[in-house]
Amino acid sequence: MAHILIHGAGLAGLSTAALLARDGHRVTVLERDPDRPPPPEHPEIAWTGWQRRGVNQFRLPHFMLPRWWSLLSTHLPGAGGPLAAAGATRLNTLAVLPEARRGALRDSDARFDTVTARRPVLEAALSAVAEAAGVIVRRGVSVTGVTADQRLDVPRITGVLTADGRSIGADLVVDCGGRRSALASWLPTVGARRPVEERADSGFVYYARHFRSPTGRLPEALTSIQQNYDSLSVLTLPGDNGTWSVVFTTGGRDGALRALREPDRWHGALARYPLAAHWADGEPISGVDVMAGIEDRYRRLAIDGRPVVTGAVALGDAAACTNPSLGRGASMALIHAVLLRDLLRETDPRDHDKLARRFDEATAATIEPLYRATLWYDRHRLAELAADLAGQPYRTTDPRWLASKALYVASLTDPELTRAHLDITSFLAQPGEVLGVPGVLDRVLALGGGAAQYPHPGPTRAELLDALG
Ligand SMILES: Cc1cc2nc3c(=O)[nH]c(=O)nc-3n(C[C@H](O)[C@H](O)[C@H](O)COP(=O)(O)OP(=O)(O)OC[C@H]3O[C@@H](n4cnc5c(N)ncnc54)[C@H](O)[C@@H]3O)c2cc1C
């Protein structure tokens, strides 16, 4: 068993820490933000009072996908308690859909179960889970660099340096420092090559608002959580304790839609979408929060299969993050954390070279395809939004995009395909797996091929601009 230092107490850092501590490792998490989370039983203190400057998206909408819940409840079975104490909402993303669309429920539909909450509430609950597993979380400790054994060909990280001048040693350092992790800039200071990094603005902007129900009940889901329309997408996301959020996602170049930052116009626009308008029937508990400049980023601590350092791995957003409108970040981080936990079960953490190579291989085999699949979707959607802005139809020769559009349309009328589509959006299966089942693609194309680009009722771009004044 090893001493493992985790840099960053976000969703990735806390769940990784809890998984590793349950396996008997001595785990310490160092977090720059000083405030302690309130106990899970106080969700409103988490929402209004807990300061987390290190996480830009802390008060922006989050929804936990069924894949996340399936992993969490399997590998951290104690997590359900703090989440329930925090008032997190349990729901089945299929069951909430109109029965006319999904048909009668079946036993196998339990795979669409999930538990979700506003981000601060989730994080407070996960913090309690980590601490109950024996993790030491030190808050107010800023990591400023790494220490390394530089006598080796490939430097081996031996610990971290902190802003108060301390050096803390560890058998393994896990970078969970998020999208803006500085690990890449620390490595050259210990003689290591800079990691390979892909990085680009995802191109999307978010205009989001949180609400609370006057009755404690969530608005009825008339269709899918994510709805694509001319020029924007609408997301309707259940939260905890009778709260929820509504998000408009647009292309960053769409200057006319920047009017959505103003609450009156935001509401004026939402009122034009009949399947989502009633999600404004609650007490607003936030302003219209705007987030832009969100990067897609993929970082590997190896070049051509050769580690740039050993003794350190990057996980969660520090390794791979994308535009979050598909809501996959926490699930990807948890998949990655389980990979690390499993690898440490069969590889001695002090066998530094082997661990670094095998974690890189596992990341490339499992995380990279998920990252690329998300980017693939985003690139098409962004191009589609750009075409809407230009007043042109979106044309692509990519058959996979056409099949994915057809699947959505077909999922609106065919209960089997409702499930097939939900398997993809719940992150339980990839499009190729779903569409590769014999007969599925033919059925999808028969029911959804050649359908309208945007199947749901909603304003045209001109009508939307009119609503925005
Ligand atoms: C607008 C938006 C909406 C999102 N919605 C969803 C969603 O609906 N569903 C979903 O699954 N995911 C969503 N995500 C993604 C999700 O937030 C992340 O994937 C998830 O939080 C995992 O992040 P992380 O723990 O790797 O990083 P973070 O949550 O960013 O945590 C990193 C932590 O590291 C700390 N840190 C950084 N540097 C240092 C340092 N030098 N010293 C000490 N500590 C340091 C920071 O303070 C922070 O606490 C969304 C993201 C955005 C931007």
Side-chain angles (χ1 to χ4, degrees), residues 7-8 11-12 31-32 52 57 61-63 119 143 178 317 327 329-330:
H7 153 234
L11 298 181
E31 167 55 48
R32 184 170 46 202
R52 289 282 277 116
Q57 68 269 29
H62 277 66
F63 180 77
R119 162 73 192 243
V143 177
D317 280 9

Side-chain angles (χ1 to χ4, degrees), residues 255-344:
L257 297 194
R258 287 187 198 137
L260 286 168
R261 64 177 61 235
E262 292 172 34
D264 287 352
R265 295 176 179 205
W266 189 95
H267 280 271
L270 188 60
R272 306 297 289 265
Y273 296 91
L275 300 183
H278 62 293
W279 285 74
D281 296 342
E283 174 206 350
I285 54 170
S286 73
V288 173
D289 295 317
V290 183
M291 189 158 178
I294 299 170
E295 287 183 336
D296 297 319
R297 169 168 158 168
Y298 179 56
R299 190 168 72 198
R300 282 180 76 171
L301 297 185
I303 300 174
D304 297 331
R306 229 184 116 230
V308 296
V309 281
T310 65
V313 293
L315 196 152
D317 280 9
C321 57
T322 60
N323 155 53
S325 56
L326 299 181
R328 294 175 167 180
S331 304
M332 275 187 43
L334 198 46
I335 295 168
H336 213 177
V338 171
L339 278 181
L340 178 64
R341 194 258 339 244
D342 290 350
L343 185 56
L344 286 171

Side-chain angles (χ1 to χ4, degrees), residues 7-13 30-33 52-57 60-65 68 119 123 141-144 176-182 186 206 237 291 294 315-318 321-322 324 326-331 333:
H7 153 234
L11 298 181
L30 304 178
E31 167 55 48
R32 184 170 46 202
D33 286 346
R52 289 282 277 116
R53 291 195 175 79
V55 181
N56 276 350
Q57 68 269 29
L60 282 156
H62 277 66
F63 180 77
M64 296 297 107
L65 297 176
W68 178 83
R119 162 73 192 243
E123 208 179 286
V141 179
S142 184
V143 177
T144 52
C176 290
R179 293 174 166 260
R180 291 172 297 158
S181 165
W186 298 331
Y206 288 73
L237 307 174
M291 189 158 178
I294 299 170
L315 196 152
D317 280 9
C321 57
T322 60
L326 299 181
R328 294 175 167 180
S331 304

Side-chain angles (χ1 to χ4, degrees), residues 118-388:
R118 290 166 292 175
R119 162 73 192 243
V121 178
L122 270 173
E123 208 179 286
L126 278 187
S127 189
V129 172
E131 293 194 31
V135 173
I136 310 261
V137 184
R138 291 207 205 138
R139 298 185 185 269
V141 179
S142 184
V143 177
T144 52
V146 286
T147 55
D149 183 344
Q150 299 185 46
R151 293 166 302 175
L152 306 162
D153 272 358
V154 174
R156 177 170 72 75
I157 302 297
T158 53
V160 301
L161 299 167
T162 61
D164 57 5
R166 277 180 303 153
S167 146
I168 307 175
D171 297 310
L172 178 67
V173 172
V174 183
D175 176 19
C176 290
R179 293 174 166 260
R180 291 172 297 158
S181 165
L183 180 72
S185 65
W186 298 331
L187 295 184
T189 66
V190 292
R193 294 177 295 166
R194 258 192 114 85
V196 174
E197 183 167 286
E198 281 178 37
R199 200 166 169 168
D201 184 352
S202 73
F204 291 91
V205 186
Y206 288 73
Y207 302 91
R209 188 156 215 195
H210 278 84
F211 295 88
R212 184 190 309 282
S213 163
T215 62
R217 279 210 314 274
L218 291 170
E220 190 184 351
L222 300 179
T223 188
S224 311
I225 280 178
Q226 179 176 353
Q227 305 146 36
N228 291 345
Y229 296 98
D230 185 349
S231 298
L232 52 73
S233 302
V234 178
L235 282 81
T236 50
L237 307 174
D240 54 282
N241 298 292
T243 65
W244 69 85
S245 55
V246 181
V247 187
F248 285 116
T249 316
T250 73
R253 297 211 171 137
D254 199 333
L257 297 194
R258 287 187 198 137
L260 286 168
R261 64 177 61 235
E262 292 172 34
D264 287 352
R265 295 176 179 205
W266 189 95
H267 280 271
L270 188 60
R272 306 297 289 265
Y273 296 91
L275 300 183
H278 62 293
W279 285 74
D281 296 342
E283 174 206 350
I285 54 170
S286 73
V288 173
D289 295 317
V290 183
M291 189 158 178
I294 299 170
E295 287 183 336
D296 297 319
R297 169 168 158 168
Y298 179 56
R299 190 168 72 198
R300 282 180 76 171
L301 297 185
I303 300 174
D304 297 331
R306 229 184 116 230
V308 296
V309 281
T310 65
V313 293
L315 196 152
D317 280 9
C321 57
T322 60
N323 155 53
S325 56
L326 299 181
R328 294 175 167 180
S331 304
M332 275 187 43
L334 198 46
I335 295 168
H336 213 177
V338 171
L339 278 181
L340 178 64
R341 194 258 339 244
D342 290 350
L343 185 56
L344 286 171
R345 283 182 175 173
E346 56 188 51
T347 308
D348 184 342
R350 293 164 204 92
D351 192 344
H352 300 286
D353 188 60
K354 184 173 173 193
L355 184 72
R357 283 177 196 276
R358 294 204 46 203
F359 189 66
D360 177 62
E361 285 160 14
T363 301
T366 304
I367 300 298
E368 185 171 338
L370 301 177
Y371 171 81
R372 303 254 170 252
T374 307
L375 241 57
W376 166 82
Y377 179 90
D378 281 353
R379 294 289 176 264
H380 276 294
R381 179 64 185 138
L382 199 61
E384 192 171 51
L385 291 172
D388 293 345

